[in-house]
């Protein structure tokens, strides 16, 4: 069966859902095609921190109400090294800026609810059946199978919002896109639990046992991470072993205050820096993790997805409203300027906070010297704060 739309969006993660909503608000028809079920998408525990740009985009999509009610405004983070915590004050260093702690699961849930309330078409559970064709010419077509039936979706543009392992980037002819990649020699073991957070702000810890992060989803739900070797398997980590290791990486006060409990979710994520250039091939546009990955240390992944979508939606809207291709022609360059800065920040923060195998004691000493400089220099603290809250669009 053949149907037609203006924009075919591959992937119902934050990038695809945000784009779908912004296009719908502008009167542009779009269909989202997603490999998994909605519950599967909502079950992936990922990002927790939104920059103001992402908050503003949620508002622009008309889905900001619950976020403003339940999200937590954070005015700083704490850096823990040599057993002591030091605060980085965001508003003081950036002229009043803050971030919002509101989980990616909730962002996705709010966007899914708005999409379904507006009756917009989303095709879930298409598995690996999606094929992209004709995007190097003027008539792109997306083919997929659903419930045993073959479908064809003809469109003007395809938005590849299908994450790092998606079909969109992989459909571009070899050689047309250049890929830059760095894989880090460790992962993050994350645990989600219904226990109150150890502290009301995030704690990023550099210790001689490796990195740890204390984050949260609400005043009663905590998200913690510890750096682990890539060879570790999540099944080998009992909850007890996780809490014991986390405690060893905290300062004495936090160690005393830590409340432990049964895990709701536990997983290991590898760390990677990756950029695909350019983010466009003909009528196919890549956005979010489909085009770039950052290590989670700087909390930039979801936020970059939001800024890509902001640029891409304005290019598409300009195309239909003004018959101008300028915004679409500049999409890749505009997005990549911001992407590379976030890549640099995330790489730098990862280097500073993690234990690198083979670096030895001098690596630890050099990190501690840089951290000491960072928390005592207004210039260096400002550089961290302005990147963390998000560089301007
Ligand atoms: P997603 O979320 O991966 O969504 C892509 C969607 O595409 C679907 N898909 C397909 N659909 C159809 N056909 C195919 N062939 C398909 N292949 C894939 C997938 O099922 C999926 O639903 O990409 P998107 O939308 O670009 O969003 C990106 C964000 O998810 C990601 O950048 C963040 O989660 C990264 N991240 C963080 N970002 C932040 O801004 N702040 C944070 O605090 C933060 N913490 C994190 C993170 C990522 C983490 N992990 C697990 C990688 C913490 C962690 C631990
Ligand atoms: C999270 O809460 O999952 C989180 C927060 C900050 C990060 C990464 C992940 O830098």
């Amino acid at each position: 069966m053949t149907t037609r739309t203006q924009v075919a969006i591959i992937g119902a993660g934050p990038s695809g859902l945000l784009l779908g909503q912004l296009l719908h608000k502008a009167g542009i028809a779009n269909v989202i095609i997603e490999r998994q079920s909605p519950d599967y998408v909502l079950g992936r525990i990922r990002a927790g921190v939104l920059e103001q740009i992402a908050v503003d985009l949620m508002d622009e999509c008309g889905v900001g109400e619950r976020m403003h009610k339940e999200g937590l405004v954070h005015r700083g983070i704490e850096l823990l090294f040599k057993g002591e915590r030091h605060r980085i004050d965001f508003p003081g260093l950036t002229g009043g800026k803050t971030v919002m702690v509101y989980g990616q699961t909730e962002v996705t849930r709010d966007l899914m609810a708005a999409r379904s309330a507006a009756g917009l078409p989303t095709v879930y559970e298409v598995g690996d059946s999606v094929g992209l064709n004709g995007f190097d010419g003027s008539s792109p077509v997306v083919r997929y199978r659903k419930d045993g039936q073959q479908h064809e979706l003809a469109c003007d543009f395809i938005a590849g919002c299908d994450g790092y392992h998606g079909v969109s980037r992989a459909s571009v002819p070899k050689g047309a896109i250049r890929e830059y990649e760095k894989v880090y020699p460790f992962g993050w073991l994350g645990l989600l639990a219904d226990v109150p957070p150890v502290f009301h702000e995030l704690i990023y810890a550099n210790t001689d046992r490796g990195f740890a992060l204390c984050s949260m989803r609400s005043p009663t739900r905590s998200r913690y991470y510890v750096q682990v070797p890539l060879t570790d398997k999540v099944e080998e980590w009992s909850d007890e072993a996780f809490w014991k290791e986390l405690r060893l990486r905290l300062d004495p006060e936090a160690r005393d205050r830590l409340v432990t409990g049964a895990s709701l979710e536990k997983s290991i994520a590898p760390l990677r820096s990756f950029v695909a250039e350019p983010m466009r091939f003909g009528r196919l546009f890549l956005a979010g993790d489909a085009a770039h990955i950052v290590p989670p240390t700087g909390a930039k992944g979801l936020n970059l997805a939001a800024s890509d979508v902001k640029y891409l939606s304005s290019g598409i809207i300009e195309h239909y409203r003004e018959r101008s291709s300028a915004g679409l022609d500049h999409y890749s360059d505009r997005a990549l300027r911001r992407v590379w800065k976030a890549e640099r920040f995330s790489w730098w923060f990862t280097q500073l906070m993690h234990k690198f195998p083979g670096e030895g004691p001098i690596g630890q000493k050099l990190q501690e010297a840089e951290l000491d400089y960072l928390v005592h220099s207004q210039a260096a603290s400002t550089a961290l704060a302005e990147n963390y809250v998000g560089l301007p669009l």
Side-chain angles (χ1 to χ4, degrees), residues 80-140:
L80 164 56
F81 61 97
K82 289 174 85 174
E84 278 180 28
R85 276 195 262 150
H86 305 261
R87 185 162 188 271
I88 302 290
D89 173 66
F90 295 153
L93 292 163
T94 63
K97 298 206 171 96
T98 58
V99 293
M100 171 86 83
V101 170
Y102 190 64
Q104 178 167 334
T105 308
E106 307 315 316
V107 168
T108 310
R109 199 191 304 283
D110 295 344
L111 285 162
M112 279 179 175
R115 190 167 178 87
S116 107
L120 305 179
T122 314
V123 188
Y124 282 100
E125 297 182 271
V126 299
D128 282 326
S129 68
V130 174
L132 313 186
N133 304 89
F135 52 84
D136 49 345
S138 56
S139 318

Side-chain angles (χ1 to χ4, degrees), residues 10-16 33-36 40-41 44-50 104 126-128 130 161-167 188 223 225 269-270 287-290 294 296 298-305:
I10 316 300
S15 304
I33 299 171
E34 164 62 46
R35 173 197 222 150
Q36 308 284 2
Y40 184 97
V41 172
R44 293 187 294 227
I45 308 299
R46 291 188 170 177
V49 180
L50 303 181
Q104 178 167 334
V126 299
D128 282 326
V130 174
C161 299
D162 48 351
Y164 180 70
H165 298 287
V167 64
W188 280 19
R223 179 68 165 163
Y225 297 96
D289 279 15
V294 285
K300 288 284 160 260
L302 173 58
N303 292 300
L304 277 184

Side-chain angles (χ1 to χ4, degrees), residues 11 26 30 60 119 121 162-163 188 194 196 220 224 289 312 323:
N30 62 87
E60 204 177 320
D162 48 351
W188 280 19
D194 272 334
T220 57
Y224 293 109
D289 279 15
L312 181 55
R323 291 277 137 211

Side-chain angles (χ1 to χ4, degrees), residues 246-262:
L246 177 65
R247 199 172 259 128
L248 288 169
R249 298 185 192 190
L250 297 180
D251 58 292
E253 191 201 332
R255 205 173 288 154
D256 280 351
R257 294 179 64 126
L258 183 71
V259 182
T260 63

